Amino acid sequence: MTKTELKKVLVVEKILEGHMTNREGATALGLTERQVIRLKKKYQTEGGAQSLVHGNRGRKPKHALTEEVKEKAAELYTVKYHGSNNCHFAELLEEHEMLKISYSSVRRILLAQGLKQAKQRRRSKAYQPRQRKAQAGMLWQIDATPYAWLEDRAPAFALHAAIDDATGTVIGAVFRPTECYEGYSRVMQQGIRKYGVPLGLYSDRHTIFRSPNEKLSVDQELAGETRPLSNFGKAMADLRIEHIKAITPQAKGRVERLWRTFQDRLVIELRLLAVTSLDEANAALPKLIEKHNRKFAVKPRDSESAYLPLEHEVHLEHIFTKREYRQLGSGNTISYNNTIYTLAKPSTLRLSAKMTVEVRETLDGEILLWVQEQALKLKATERPEREVASKEKAGSASPRKPASSHPWRTTGTQNQSKLTTTKRSFQDAMYSQHNGYFEASF
C-alpha cells in the first residue's frame, strides 16, 4: 500500500472507533464528508484495509503499449530516426509509420532501451523576455548559420533565414556555400514577394549589413549620398525598411532559437528525403519551411497586418544588387570588371562624357546602368586597339676611346700641371721666408 492508502486506513479506523468525526476525517484526508462515508462503508463491507487499495493495482492498462510496439519503435529510432528529439520522433512515427505514440511514452521507451539519456536542465542566465511585436510585418529578424545540414553526405554550408517577430513565421530561407550577400538578398526577396514589405529588420553587425568605410568617397559625395551604406543597406534604404543592427545575440533571440530548432529537426527531415547536395536541399526547403510554420507559427496580438504592398514599378532584382560608381566615357561606355560596356539600346536620357553614374550588378550577373531611377541594360563591347607605328630597334653603340685632345683627357693634365705649379710656388715662398728669418737673426 502507498502512504496515501495507509493514511486513509488509519483515519477510517479512528472514525469507526469513535476517536474522530466524519468532518475531522475529511479535513485530515482532504476529502469531502460524503467521500469519507463511502470509504467507511467500503471498509466495513469489502474486507477491511485491503478494500481501500486501488482496484487497478497490478493490472495492465488496456491502452498500454505492447512489447512488439516498443521494440519496433526502438528499432526505428536506431535505424532511421536516430538523433531526433522525443517530440519530433513521435511526430515522425505518426507521419511515416502510422504509429501513434505520445512523446512521454517515446521517452520512456528510449530510456528503457538505453538509447537516450535523461538530459539535465540547462542552467543559464535569466534574461527578461521581450514582448513580441503586436502585428505581423512590424519586425523581421534575419541571420545565417553554417552547419552540417546533410551530416556526412556533403560538406557543411550556411542556411540564411528570416523570421517574423510577431508570429514566428519563417518568411524565407535559402542554403548557400557560405554566409554571403546573395543569401540574405534571396531571403528578403522571398519574404517580400510572399508577404509584403516589413517596417523593420533586425540583423547583426556583419560587414554585409554595414559599410566598413566610415567616410564617403568622392564619387559617393557627387552621387548625393549622405552616409556610407553597404549594398544591403542601400537596398533597405530604397525599400524604406528601418534597419536595426543588434550588438548582442540576445537582442535577436527569436532567430537564434530558430537555429536550435532547425539543427534539431531539419537535419532529420533532409535525411529522410535522401538529400545529398546543396541544390537538392534548396529544392526541398520550401515544403519543409511550410511544415515548420504549421507547427510553430502563432497568431499575433493584433490581427491587422503591418506589411506594406510592393509598388508595381519597383523591381526587387534591381534593388538587391552590387553597386559601384564609374565615370561615363565617350560613346556612353564604362569599364567594369575589366570589361568595356555600352548601352544595349539607345536611350532618350541625356548622358555626357565624364559623368558619374552608378553601375548595378544583379544576383544573376546582369550589368545595368542606373540613371535617374531607371535601369539601362548594358552589353559588353570590345576595347578598340590602337595602331602603334613600328620602329626598328636601335642596336647598342660600339664602345670608342676618346682622342688624346678630348677635354676629358686634357682637363686632367691641365689641372695636374696647375696643382704642381702652385705647389712649387708655395715651397719657394716658404723657403724665402725662412732665409729672411735666418739673415735677420745674424
Side-chain angles (χ1 to χ4, degrees):
M1 299 179 69
T2 63
K3 290 183 179 180
T4 303
E5 293 168 344
L6 288 173
K7 185 177 181 181
K8 288 181 181 179
V9 172
L10 180 62
V11 170
V12 168
E13 289 177 349
K14 286 188 176 182
I15 293 174
L16 292 175
E17 293 172 359
H19 299 295
M20 293 180 69
T21 64
N22 290 339
R23 180 172 294 181
E24 291 174 344
T27 302
L29 295 176
L31 304 174
T32 63
E33 290 188 40
R34 293 183 64 181
Q35 288 175 313
V36 170
I37 293 173
R38 284 197 295 269
L39 289 177
K40 283 185 0 182
K41 188 177 293 186
K42 193 174 184 179
Y43 183 92
Q44 292 173 333
T45 60
E46 297 184 11
Q50 193 64 30
S51 63
L52 300 184
V53 177
H54 197 283
N56 289 333
R57 180 69 52 78
R59 295 181 182 178
K60 189 174 182 179
K62 292 183 179 180
H63 62 276
L65 298 175
T66 63
E67 293 299 324
E68 291 78 7
V69 172
K70 293 180 181 179
E71 292 177 2
K72 183 179 180 180
E75 182 181 0
L76 286 172
Y77 181 84
T78 304
V79 176
K80 192 174 181 181
Y81 302 107
H82 56 276
S84 58
N85 59 52
N86 299 328
C87 184
H88 191 205
F89 180 43
E91 295 172 8
L92 294 174
L93 287 177
E94 185 175 1
E95 179 182 355
H96 298 281
E97 309 295 337
M98 304 300 292
L99 190 61
K100 190 171 183 179
I101 305 176
S102 66
Y103 71 90
S104 57
S105 298
V106 163
R107 178 179 179 273
R108 287 193 295 269
I109 292 171
L110 297 182
L111 287 176
Q113 296 289 334
L115 298 176
K116 271 197 171 185
Q117 295 182 353
K119 290 185 178 180
Q120 297 290 333
R121 180 163 298 195
R122 184 184 301 176
R123 294 181 180 179
S124 58
K125 185 178 179 180
Y127 291 94
Q128 183 68 25
R130 179 181 60 80
Q131 190 176 24
R132 292 175 181 263
K133 295 294 183 181
Q135 298 176 339
M138 293 186 68
L139 181 67
W140 285 357
Q141 295 185 18
I142 194 168
D143 198 14
T145 181
Y147 194 71
W149 299 104
L150 302 184
E151 299 170 305
D152 57 351
R153 303 188 301 279
F157 42 79
L159 174 60
H160 302 67
I163 187 173
D164 181 68
D165 186 79
T167 63
T169 301
V170 179
I171 55 91
V174 66
F175 289 112
R176 298 296 300 165
T178 57
E179 183 179 2
C180 62
Y181 168 74
E182 181 179 350
Y184 287 117
S185 299
R186 299 284 186 189
V187 169
M188 291 299 296
Q189 290 186 38
Q190 289 178 17
I192 292 173
R193 287 195 173 101
K194 187 172 183 179
Y195 299 97
V197 181
L199 301 183
L201 180 71
Y202 226 166
S203 70
D204 56 24
R205 302 181 64 82
H206 196 284
T207 51
I208 294 174
F209 302 114
R210 64 183 182 91
S211 174
N213 302 319
E214 297 181 355
K215 295 183 179 180
L216 294 172
S217 65
V218 176
D219 290 336
Q220 289 173 325
E221 291 178 355
L222 293 175
E225 292 191 21
T226 57
R227 57 175 178 167
L229 293 173
S230 64
N231 289 323
F232 191 90
K234 293 175 183 177
M236 296 299 98
D238 290 346
L239 294 171
R240 297 180 179 86
I241 298 175
E242 183 184 4
H243 189 187
I244 307 169
K245 304 174 188 65
I247 298 177
T248 62
Q250 290 78 12
K252 50 185 182 64
R254 206 164 307 286
V255 72
E256 294 291 344
R257 289 189 291 273
L258 176 66
W259 298 139
R260 288 193 295 179
T261 304
F262 275 166
Q263 291 172 5
D264 202 17
R265 288 173 168 260
L266 200 57
V267 173
I268 311 299
E269 299 285 355
L270 292 172
R271 183 202 304 159
L272 295 177
L273 294 174
V275 174
T276 58
S277 67
L278 187 145
D279 292 336
E280 292 179 2
N282 276 323
L285 193 55
K287 290 185 177 179
L288 297 179
I289 295 301
E290 290 180 5
K291 181 179 179 181
H292 172 90
N293 290 337
R294 288 194 302 268
K295 174 72 177 176
F296 294 102
V298 299
K299 292 183 179 181
R301 298 198 310 273
D302 190 345
S303 59
E304 185 178 356
S305 176
Y307 285 109
L308 299 176
L310 182 65
E311 299 176 359
H312 295 290
E313 61 273 13
V314 176
H315 300 281
L316 293 179
E317 60 271 15
H318 296 165
I319 299 297
F320 291 95
T321 56
K322 297 178 181 178
R323 311 182 186 191
E324 292 187 15
Y325 292 99
R326 292 289 187 273
Q327 276 194 348
L328 200 62
S330 58
N332 294 334
T333 59
I334 59 168
S335 175
Y336 181 78
N337 285 345
N338 298 323
T339 305
I340 301 298
Y341 292 91
T342 188
L343 295 178
K345 296 180 180 180
S347 174
T348 58
L349 298 177
R350 186 175 180 179
L351 303 175
S352 59
K354 296 187 178 180
M355 174 183 177
T356 300
V357 293
E358 186 179 46
V359 181
R360 296 190 179 186
E361 182 180 355
T362 66
L363 300 179
D364 296 327
E366 185 181 10
I367 309 299
L368 303 172
L369 186 65
W370 190 260
V371 182
Q372 299 178 12
E373 303 300 322
Q374 296 185 31
L376 305 180
K377 293 185 178 181
L378 299 175
K379 64 178 181 179
T381 183
E382 296 182 358
R383 186 188 298 270
E385 296 183 359
R386 296 181 179 179
E387 294 184 0
V388 181
S390 59
K391 295 182 179 179
E392 295 182 0
K393 188 176 180 181
S396 57
S398 57
R400 62 187 184 88
K401 191 175 183 180
S404 57
S405 59
H406 195 277
W408 291 355
R409 289 183 175 274
T410 58
T411 303
T413 306
Q414 292 174 358
N415 291 341
Q416 185 65 30
S417 61
K418 289 180 181 180
L419 180 62
T420 304
T421 304
T422 304
K423 185 176 180 181
R424 287 178 179 176
S425 300
F426 176 74
Q427 290 176 349
D428 291 343
M430 292 296 294
Y431 180 74
S432 300
Q433 185 178 2
H434 282 290
N435 287 342
Y437 171 75
F438 285 118
E439 290 177 357
S441 60
F442 286 105

